[in-house]
Amino acid sequence: MSGILVILALALGDPDSEALDKFKADYKNKDIAARAAAVEELGKTQSPKICARLGALLAADGPEVRVAAAKGLGLQIDDKKHAIPFLGNGATANAKDLAVLTAIVTALGMLRDEAGASEVNKHVNALDTDFAKAAIEAAGEIRSATSFDPLIKALKECEDTLKPRDKNNPGGGFGGGLGRLGGGNNTGMTFKEMRDRATALKTEIVKVLRDMAKVSCEDAKDWEDWWKEHKATWKAEKS
């Protein structure tokens, strides 16, 4: 029997080696778009060797290549135990690159593993709307109990930002919205931009909370009360 398995393995070839050999050749291209395409193609094959190569690429080459590497790691379902730490390290290495960070949190969501929740939770209240939405959506994919508190906190700040402005203090912000920055408008955003962000994120947060909890609450305060009551017993539904 073992002889037959060896023959079959030789006949089928080693998908890891084949994918890596093709990648090595394609990655020599001077065009960064072509290199990014080579990385994306490499990510379609699952293996520890490829997972490690993708992890290394998160700290090498240009943003397009790093984004492709993050996407590839999101496909490494069979090697989550390595893919998730690689993505976490990649988030640190790319802390100032929103495009790469967005790809990283999206990949963590694709892997749907509790181990990725801590990194995702850091970003559900990010100032950049698209980045924050990606993190919120990823939290909804992972369905970790640890995501409720940061999501509810972000929801409360959105609600505070959307409160009517104090007519006696027109420059003072929205009732403490974006409080993690010390209150007021020190974000570099106009009040309209702050409100547009809050409106967009509030919709996404409520959607994720309802999907995770399988209940509907009126506002952040109600969500806080519900979570306090159910925190000890809540379990994510299997998807």
Side-chain angles (χ1 to χ4, degrees), residues 200-220:
L201 297 192
K202 178 181 176 181
T203 299
E204 291 299 321
I205 293 168
V206 170
K207 178 182 176 182
V208 166
L209 286 173
R210 287 176 176 174
D211 185 55
M212 290 173 64
K214 303 304 178 187
V215 298
S216 180
C217 294
E218 184 175 346
D219 55 23

Side-chain angles (χ1 to χ4, degrees), residues 127-143:
L127 276 179
D128 183 84
T129 303
D130 291 337
F131 179 36
K133 285 175 69 174
I136 292 163
E137 291 170 3
E141 293 291 335
I142 296 171
R143 298 171 178 266

Side-chain angles (χ1 to χ4, degrees), residues 89-104:
N89 291 336
T92 301
N94 294 279
K96 296 182 179 181
D97 195 317
L98 284 180
V100 181
L101 281 174
T102 299
I104 286 171

Side-chain angles (χ1 to χ4, degrees), residues 61-168:
D61 214 324
E64 297 95 328
V65 168
R66 297 184 185 204
V67 166
K71 290 179 179 178
L73 284 167
L75 298 176
Q76 300 299 307
I77 305 297
D78 294 339
D79 197 20
K80 294 181 183 180
K81 67 178 182 179
H82 292 123
I84 291 171
F86 284 139
L87 288 164
N89 291 336
T92 301
N94 294 279
K96 296 182 179 181
D97 195 317
L98 284 180
V100 181
L101 281 174
T102 299
I104 286 171
V105 298
T106 299
L108 288 168
M110 292 168 62
L111 293 172
R112 297 186 176 185
D113 192 282
E114 175 75 25
S118 61
E119 183 62 42
V120 167
N121 292 341
K122 295 177 187 177
H123 309 295
V124 297
N125 207 14
L127 276 179
D128 183 84
T129 303
D130 291 337
F131 179 36
K133 285 175 69 174
I136 292 163
E137 291 170 3
E141 293 291 335
I142 296 171
R143 298 171 178 266
S144 167
T146 65
S147 295
F148 275 98
D149 284 330
L151 285 169
I152 293 170
K153 180 180 179 182
L155 176 61
K156 184 179 186 304
E157 291 194 359
C158 288
E159 291 175 351
D160 286 346
T161 300
L162 293 169
K163 288 178 181 178
R165 291 174 63 185
D166 183 353
K167 294 180 180 179
N168 297 318

Side-chain angles (χ1 to χ4, degrees), residues 8 14 54 87 89 116 178 208:
L8 286 173
D14 183 350
L54 293 169
L87 288 164
N89 291 336
L178 297 174
V208 166

